[in-house]
Amino acid sequence: MRVLGVDPGLTRCGVGVVEGVAGRPLTMHGVGVVRTPADAELGQRLVAIEQGIEQWLDEHRPEFVAVERVFSQHNVRTVMGTAQASAVAMLCAARRGIPVALHTPSEVKAAVTGNGRADKAQVGAMVTRLLRLDAPPKPADAADALALAICHIWRAPAQNRLQQAVAQNRLQQAAALHASKPASRQAPNHASKPASQQAPKGRTA
C-alpha cells in the first residue's frame, strides 16, 4: 500500500509518501513541503497548493491519500486556511479517483507514538525510527505528513474490517426484514385461452 500523507496548511503544506503494510517495515518514497507566499492572493495560494500536490500525485502514484482532519482552534483564520488547503488536497485525489482518508491529530499521534498527546518532537523522532531515517524530516509539517501516511497504513486494515462488518450486518438485517414480510398474494391469471382452444360457437339458424 502506497499512501500520500498531507498535512494541510496555506503557508506550508507538508507532503510525504510511505509504502508498506501493517506489521512490516515501511519505506519512505519522498517527503517535502509545498510552500506559498503569505502576501499572495488567496486564490493564487490555493492554485499553488493544487499544482504542488498534483506533481506529487504524478510522480509517486499513491493508492491512498491521508489528510489531517481539521479541528477547531482559537485562531479562526488559521483554521480556515488549513481547511481550504485540506479541501484542495481532497479535490486533487478525488479527481483521480484516489480514496481519501481523514485522520485527527490525536489519532496520528497515538498510532505513531502510542500517546495521543505527543508533541511534534516525539512524532518526528518516531517517524525517523519507523522509517529508518538519518534525521527527523524538516520542517515539522513534513514529518507530520509522513506520520499521517504511517497512521493510515496501520489503521486501514482495521477500518476495512469494520466497514465490511457493518456492510455485512446491514445485508443480514435487510434479508431478515425481507423474510419477515408476508408474501404478497397474486391474483389468479385469467388470461384468455388461444383461439384454437376456445369452445366453438353455436351456429345460428
Side-chain angles (χ1 to χ4, degrees):
M1 177 188 301
R2 180 173 293 192
V3 181
L4 170 66
V6 179
D7 182 44
L10 273 180
T11 303
R12 293 186 308 273
C13 183
V15 285
V17 180
V18 178
E19 186 170 12
V21 295
R24 295 185 180 181
L26 305 175
T27 302
M28 184 191 75
H29 285 273
V31 64
V33 175
V34 178
R35 300 177 183 272
T36 67
D39 57 351
E41 190 269 330
L42 175 60
Q44 295 176 344
R45 300 180 75 180
L46 295 177
V47 169
I49 292 173
E50 178 194 23
Q51 293 173 341
I53 293 177
E54 288 287 354
Q55 290 177 359
W56 278 80
L57 294 173
D58 284 337
E59 181 177 353
H60 296 283
R61 303 290 180 181
E63 300 168 77
F64 298 89
V65 172
V67 183
E68 181 180 288
R69 186 185 296 274
V70 179
F71 65 99
S72 178
Q73 293 177 331
H74 297 295
N75 190 337
V76 178
R77 183 177 180 180
T78 301
V79 173
M80 289 298 296
T82 303
Q84 290 162 341
S86 175
V88 170
M90 289 187 285
L91 173 64
C92 291
R95 191 158 50 200
R96 295 169 179 249
I98 303 174
V100 177
L102 300 178
H103 300 286
T104 66
S106 60
E107 288 174 344
V108 175
K109 294 175 182 178
V112 175
T113 71
N115 179 8
R117 296 183 178 181
D119 58 25
K120 287 188 176 295
Q122 291 173 308
V123 172
M126 284 305 299
V127 166
T128 302
R129 178 180 176 183
L130 292 169
L131 297 177
R132 305 176 303 282
L133 305 178
D134 295 332
K138 299 292 183 180
D141 310 85
D144 289 344
L146 291 173
L148 274 157
I150 294 171
C151 173
H152 184 70
I153 290 173
W154 285 354
R155 288 173 58 92
Q159 289 178 335
N160 290 339
R161 287 194 296 268
L162 177 60
Q163 292 173 352
Q164 291 172 357
V166 171
Q168 183 65 24
N169 184 53
R170 288 177 178 173
L171 288 174
Q172 292 175 348
Q173 290 179 345
L177 180 62
H178 179 73
S180 65
K181 291 183 179 180
S184 58
R185 296 182 178 178
Q186 296 182 352
N189 186 5
H190 294 293
S192 59
K193 297 180 180 180
S196 60
Q197 297 181 8
Q198 292 181 359
K201 295 181 180 180
R203 296 181 179 177
T204 58

